Amino acid sequence: MAAHIRRRLRKGATTTAVAAAAVAALAASQAPAATLADGSAGSGDPKAAGEDTASGEADGAATGNSPYYTDLPPLVTPDKPGSSSNLPAAGRAEAGIPASILAAYKQAEQTVGTTDPSCRLPWQLLAAIGKVESGQARGGRVDANGTASPRILGPALNGQGFALIKDTDGGAYDGDAVHDRAVGPMQFIPSTWASWGQDANGDGRKDPNNIYDAALAAGRYLCANDRDLALAADLDQAVLSYNRSTEYLRTVRSWFSYYQRGTHEIPDGTGTLPSIPSTPTPSPRPGGGSGSSVTPSPSPSPSKPGGKPSPGPSKPGGGGSTSPTPKPPTPKPTPPSETFGSLENAGTGPLRATAGQEFDERVSVLARNAVGAPLAKVPVTFTVTGGTGTLFAGGKKTVTVRTGTDGTATAPKLQAGEKAGEFTVTAVAGTGRPRTLTYAATVTARQADAIARTDEKALVAAPGEKFADAVTVKATYKDAAAAGVAVTATMVKDPLGVIDNDKGPYFKDAKGKPVRTLTTLTTDADGQLRLPEIFADDDEGTYLLRLTTEGGASVVIKLTVEAPEETTPEEPAPGETNAPEPTETPAGTKP
């Protein structure tokens, strides 16, 4: 901490002179590139800088663990706490961010927030890294398109005080065909840019020297491996993946906190130039990488009785202390072409079917990678939830399908259950922070568009008696038998069946009590329904029975209650009597 305070005190006297000298030198030279630090400026053991890696990256870091600026924020925080919208248009240069640079950071936050919302990337983190890596593109010295002019290059990573990274791009990005250099405002080494480069300004090029392209690439890189940057541990891992140095992390964290307190926009080219580069003598640390951390010396082994302490670590199994156990290296971020970004609806239409029927529509999703392109071979799990009895084809409630080359995965067809109601289909994909889509679906009751009696026989009963003939009807849908259709039977007063009747014929419930409405009726496999017995009360007259189906079909049936006609004996003809004729008595019997 004392060293940092001394730097701040020293900086107050030197910043103006350094800035003026740097601008004058750049203007006078008209050089095509401006380096951040001289590759030979520092001392130390070149071997400690890092090993030559076949991939071209030092320990997988975005910058190849290149030098960075260690200037710390002022001791006084910005004028007002809170968001930048609450701050004045002008203020301290340290708190201000050049207009194009600030716009690029905010655009990157919005873009990543759309494709990977669960990452929760804050633009202030990009600003902190941009400050440490290039002093906000050397104080905002960019052209109208956001491209640094001249371009920003780090020192050659030739192993002389820095990591040794041989050329990976033929000099295409950094102009060096022998060794790689960190390039642009966000200081990507070419091999990392080849995987993570973006075209955020829509000019058809992925240019690491363009702040819009570089800021979006940095945002996607920081969000790799399913990180949630609202979590402190994930944010620290993200920053360390950029440059594997604990001092680098502390410096970025300082600026991140500073910018979160508030900042404001300043004109391009008027930002403060950083003045204190990191010392290019990286030391190996557990997990690899470089930075200002110091490798701890091994503790001396415990002395033997009467002996002297052993100067070095003991052999395995020999007791005493050993060298610190190296931690496994931090995983290298997966390139955006392989990183799961988002899960979207691939055009699934309304999910609606009649009970017992197959859904015409199938659930389909689209997986995209971190840059918004379709992502293949992603397992997507579809699950049916609800009480309708609906299942996927094959009788399964859960199925897993991998996305194809177009990034889409389509679930098997749905078979509606017998119970009407709503249910959901959930699609889940991704590990760490899974992405989820939920689709609402509906099962409607079986329907009929027509219902009619199967015969036309008059239905008559005497008062207090039951109707001798049963009522049988048939429901159809589009001229086909409608099986399993719910039917409601109601005694009504008017031909339209609007007004219920509390007199006349009735049904009986399970306890034998009269009821004049039944709602538990369903047509059979042939679409037919035989009504329960109908009873007449003591009131004579003509009554109506209305039958209504799901789907709106209905029929009104006439019921008649009347007493049977009385029969009278026929009058005898003249000379005839109604007395019975005598019967013959068999012989030998008494009459």
Side-chain angles (χ1 to χ4, degrees):
M1 179 58 71
H4 292 322
I5 294 176
R6 286 197 299 272
R7 287 172 182 166
R8 286 199 292 270
L9 294 174
R10 187 171 63 252
K11 178 186 173 205
T14 61
T15 298
T16 304
V18 171
V23 173
L26 293 175
S29 66
Q30 296 296 314
T35 58
L36 291 178
D38 186 352
S40 61
S43 60
D45 181 8
K47 294 180 182 179
E51 298 178 358
D52 179 17
T53 59
S55 67
E57 290 190 35
D59 302 313
T63 65
N65 297 323
S66 295
Y68 56 92
Y69 290 108
T70 60
D71 300 52
L72 293 175
L75 293 176
V76 179
T77 57
D79 297 335
K80 285 185 180 180
S83 66
S84 59
S85 60
N86 295 327
L87 291 168
R92 291 178 54 87
E94 283 290 2
I97 299 177
S100 294
I101 314 303
L102 181 60
Y105 296 150
K106 291 185 175 182
Q107 177 178 299
E109 178 193 65
Q110 292 176 353
T111 301
V112 174
T114 299
T115 59
D116 189 4
S118 55
C119 173
R120 296 192 282 184
L121 170 73
W123 65 261
Q124 292 91 341
L125 179 60
L126 296 175
I129 290 176
K131 178 69 175 179
V132 171
E133 292 294 346
S134 67
Q136 310 298 18
R138 298 195 308 270
R141 285 156 179 79
V142 295
D143 62 20
N145 295 320
T147 302
S149 179
R151 61 183 177 174
I152 302 172
L153 296 178
L157 299 175
N158 56 11
Q160 302 300 310
F162 305 110
L164 173 59
I165 304 180
K166 295 180 180 179
D167 176 66
T168 61
D169 66 331
Y173 293 120
D174 56 12
D176 190 334
V178 179
H179 298 97
D180 272 348
R181 297 168 179 256
V183 183
M186 305 304 283
Q187 288 289 278
F188 281 98
I189 57 174
S191 58
T192 305
W193 185 259
S195 296
W196 292 87
Q198 305 288 305
D199 176 20
N201 63 351
D203 64 356
R205 298 178 59 229
K206 297 179 181 179
D207 184 358
N209 271 289
N210 181 275
I211 184 58
Y212 291 95
D213 294 356
L216 180 57
R220 296 199 188 284
Y221 185 91
L222 294 168
C223 287
N225 298 336
D226 282 333
R227 296 190 186 104
D228 179 355
L229 300 182
L231 303 177
D234 280 10
L235 188 143
D236 287 350
Q237 289 179 3
V239 174
L240 288 172
S241 76
Y242 218 87
N243 190 310
R244 303 194 188 286
S245 162
T246 52
E247 182 175 336
Y248 179 85
L249 173 61
R250 287 194 295 269
T251 307
V252 169
R253 273 285 197 174
S254 297
W255 283 105
F256 177 50
S257 178
Y258 182 75
Y259 287 137
Q260 282 185 312
R261 290 281 295 166
T263 186
H264 56 271
E265 178 184 301
I266 59 176
D268 288 347
T270 64
T272 301
L273 293 175
S275 60
I276 307 174
S278 61
T279 304
T281 55
S283 301
R285 295 178 291 111
S290 61
S292 59
S293 301
V294 178
T295 303
S297 301
S299 301
S301 300
S303 59
K304 297 179 181 180
K308 297 181 179 180
S310 173
S314 61
K315 295 180 182 180
S321 69
T322 60
S323 299
T325 303
K327 296 180 181 179
T330 303
K332 179 180 178 181
T334 306
S337 60
E338 302 173 13
T339 301
F340 185 45
S342 63
L343 191 67
E344 305 169 9
N345 185 352
T348 305
L351 296 169
R352 180 181 290 271
T354 302
Q357 303 298 311
E358 192 174 68
F359 281 74
D360 293 332
E361 195 74 20
R362 296 170 66 179
V363 178
S364 184
V365 299
L366 170 63
R368 296 186 184 275
N369 61 20
V371 295
L375 186 60
K377 299 181 180 180
V378 175
V380 182
T381 300
F382 299 92
T383 303
V384 175
T385 304
T388 65
T390 301
L391 298 170
F392 290 112
K396 297 180 179 180
K397 294 188 69 172
T398 300
V399 294
T400 300
V401 181
R402 287 184 177 270
T403 58
T405 54
D406 61 351
T408 63
T410 302
K413 284 196 171 185
L414 289 164
Q415 181 71 34
E418 289 298 331
K419 186 176 180 180
E422 296 183 349
F423 68 96
T424 59
V425 179
T426 303
V428 180
T431 57
R433 290 180 291 110
R435 279 64 163 178
T436 302
L437 282 179
T438 300
Y439 298 81
T442 303
V443 175
T444 58
R446 294 173 184 264
Q447 298 182 358
D449 54 18
I451 185 171
R453 286 188 66 191
T454 57
D455 61 59
E456 297 181 359
K457 190 173 182 179
L459 299 169
V460 181
E465 301 292 333
K466 69 178 179 181
F467 286 80
D469 297 308
V471 177
T472 303
V473 295
K474 183 174 182 178
T476 57
Y477 182 72
K478 295 182 179 179
D479 297 327
V485 174
V487 178
T488 299
T490 306
M491 299 299 175
V492 294
K493 290 182 178 180
D494 60 305
L496 296 178
V498 176
I499 303 173
D500 293 356
N501 200 344
D502 57 357
K503 295 181 180 181
Y506 58 88
F507 303 103
K508 289 184 178 180
D509 63 13
K511 295 182 180 180
K513 294 183 178 181
V515 294
R516 289 182 169 82
T517 298
L518 293 179
T519 58
T520 58
L521 307 174
T522 305
T523 60
D524 62 18
D526 296 323
Q528 293 192 11
L529 169 65
R530 182 185 176 95
L531 268 63
E533 291 180 326
I534 302 175
F535 300 87
D537 61 10
D538 295 332
D539 298 314
E540 296 187 55
T542 300
Y543 300 90
L544 301 175
L545 169 63
R546 182 192 65 201
L547 301 178
T548 306
T549 72
E550 286 287 343
S554 65
V555 62
V556 177
I557 300 171
K558 185 171 71 171
L559 303 173
T560 303
V561 179
E562 62 181 12
E565 295 181 3
E566 293 184 2
T567 58
T568 57
E570 294 183 3
E571 292 293 331
E576 296 182 359
T577 65
N578 289 328
E581 295 183 1
T583 58
E584 294 183 0
T585 302
T589 63
K590 292 181 179 181

